[in-house]
Amino acid sequence: MTAFASTDHPITDLIAKHWSPSRFDHIRRKRYMYGQQMRFLFLLWCALCVFAFPVDSQTVQVEPREPLPGPDSHETRQGPHGHLFGDWGGERKRLLERGVKFDFQYVSDSLWNIKSEQKERFASWNRFRGTMDIDFGALIGQQELYFHATALWQGGGNLGAYLGLLTSPSGMSSANTCRLDSWWIEKRWLDERITARVGQFAGQDFYGAQHYAASFIFEPMGYALGNLFTTFESFDPPSTPAMEIRVVPLPNLYVKSMVLAAVSLPFSQNPTGLIPQFNGTPVSVSEVGFTPGKKASSVRAFDNVVGRKGYSGLYQFGASYNPGKFSSSTSTTPRSGNYLLYWMASQALWRVDPKEAKGLDGTVAYDWSRPSVNRNNTMLTAGLRFNEPLPLHIHNTMSLGYVRNSLSAQFLAAGTPTWKTEQGVEFNALLDVLPMLLLQPVIQYYANVGGGTQRAVVFGFRTKVEF
């Protein structure tokens, strides 16, 4: 099981300790069958998305419309922004008029454990990402058809693994890699009332993802709920083949569902990300969302400054299900199926001007999975964000976050002490100090590290540069 534990993902490390080698023998015998099913569904979805063009679409758009963004959307700037290398001599503008958009950015989390039982250590996690979006309406006249792709290099020190935390201090840290992360083809109908996409993308980028992720740094709030991997829901960057459909039956209500290839070794099964791997089990993830204050068709996975205007909100209920075999704490015979349920709410609480973004936002999320199958079976997060608290001409926020990780007592060995609930608190300030540069100093406090009795204090900052 050392290969599984080598992902440096805190939740996967916990799960790996309770899986036997025979568990994976059973999966390997089923991979061919699941692979054939996934290939058929993947090709069928491609046909629906690519060939279902409206025959009367000939008008070319001047400004491209964005696809439903992936994880890279909350790594870019939140407010008005520029680029370190400028407009490339006007080439950016010319490409944008043709429907082609490029983004290149560098993001780094530099963190120190200034107080803990472990020796003090500096850990820097670094990521270079390139993203391309194509609006085929502006490029070739095929309206409401889009293409999205993103690749990255990342590496550095994982402070959460060093401290033994369930809550990773950095929402980016996982494994050193250089790969194609996500790509997909996206088709929209009826003014975005129906949207379908097919390609290679991660479930946690869209299901269980924190809507205010850009305003936090530690993982459960800076990316997605940390124990979604209990059903092998894929995460960024080792994305897997997937397909999704989203429907907006009412102006403030959406329903979406996704099928993805779930694998236990996400980094090793497709190291470059270039060739889709149709193995593992087909996992289904679904979500219902209610959006007071804005149209459901306009909601993206992560919010931005423009979307914060007024008293907007997002309320979500979702579930993921994996039909494979899972080991259990109460039986030596593997059980069929594993599932996770989550509830999330993000709401503007107060505004200085009811039509603007300055004011206070609140967010809360909770998930639950079977305690007999999943060691880290519940998680609670909550946070407050003050938009534009400082009287500066640059965009700025101050955010306070809380996370609570609970471990299932059913996994305790006889005679061992009862696990404690790990709790973490974060306070950070986000500052757009230059048009192409963002700084986000942060301090974090953790109690009952890893379910034990240790405490830890982490201090550092996030840096973002757009090229």
Side-chain angles (χ1 to χ4, degrees), residues 61-138:
Q61 291 178 222
V62 175
E63 290 292 335
R65 299 172 66 186
E66 64 171 359
L68 298 176
D72 46 284
S73 69
H74 79 283
E75 291 178 2
T76 57
R77 313 268 293 160
Q78 289 293 289
H81 60 279
H83 300 89
L84 184 63
F85 298 143
D87 196 36
W88 301 350
E91 192 60 32
R92 279 185 181 274
K93 182 178 180 180
R94 286 191 290 270
L95 287 171
L96 195 61
E97 290 173 349
R98 294 292 295 162
V100 181
K101 179 182 178 183
F102 289 97
D103 275 306
F104 300 96
Q105 64 258 182
Y106 165 73
V107 188
S108 174
D109 283 346
S110 301
L111 302 169
W112 295 264
N113 57 311
I114 58 177
K115 184 176 178 60
S116 67
E117 290 195 4
Q118 291 80 5
K119 292 183 179 180
E120 184 175 328
R121 174 178 291 187
F122 168 76
S124 177
W125 189 264
N126 306 280
R127 175 179 289 170
F128 288 90
R129 183 187 288 278
T131 299
M132 177 179 67
D133 287 297
I134 299 177
D135 176 0
F136 287 105

Side-chain angles (χ1 to χ4, degrees), residues 304-311 348 350-361 385-388 395 397:
N304 55 34
V305 174
V306 175
R308 296 172 195 172
K309 292 184 177 181
Y311 284 91
W350 170 72
R351 290 289 182 263
V352 174
D353 182 335
K355 296 182 179 179
E356 296 301 323
K358 184 175 182 178
L360 190 66
D361 297 332
R385 177 180 65 190
F386 197 165
N387 299 304
E388 322 302 339
H395 167 58
T397 66

Side-chain angles (χ1 to χ4, degrees), residues 399-462:
S399 302
L400 178 67
Y402 169 78
V403 60
R404 181 183 179 92
N405 268 292
S406 300
L407 300 175
S408 171
Q410 296 187 30
F411 283 88
L412 275 172
T416 58
T418 302
W419 281 315
K420 295 181 179 295
T421 299
E422 182 186 279
Q423 301 181 71
V425 178
E426 169 183 300
F427 175 78
N428 76 76
L430 182 153
L431 303 167
D432 276 359
V433 293
L434 291 172
M436 73 295 294
L437 175 64
L438 179 147
L439 291 179
Q440 197 169 4
V442 63
I443 186 166
Q444 302 168 349
Y445 170 78
Y446 299 95
N448 305 325
V449 172
T453 58
Q454 298 182 31
R455 300 175 184 271
V457 179
V458 173
F459 172 77
F461 58 90
R462 172 169 290 178

Side-chain angles (χ1 to χ4, degrees), residues 196-213:
R197 77 173 91 187
V198 61
Q200 178 175 284
F201 48 98
Q204 293 188 37
D205 293 344
F206 305 98
Y207 296 80
Q210 295 279 2
H211 193 52
Y212 295 164

Side-chain angles (χ1 to χ4, degrees), residues 11 42 87 91-93 137 141 144 152-154 180 202 209 252 275 287 305 313 326 391 425 444 447 453:
I11 301 305
F42 187 85
D87 196 36
E91 192 60 32
R92 279 185 181 274
K93 182 178 180 180
E144 303 298 337
L152 57 76
W153 171 91
Q154 66 175 24
L180 174 66
N252 301 109
I275 302 175
E287 181 180 288
V305 174
F326 288 80
V425 178
Q444 302 168 349
T453 58

Side-chain angles (χ1 to χ4, degrees), residues 236-249:
D236 160 35
S239 304
T240 60
M243 60 197 77
E244 181 192 45
I245 187 166
R246 167 179 162 138
V247 179
V248 181

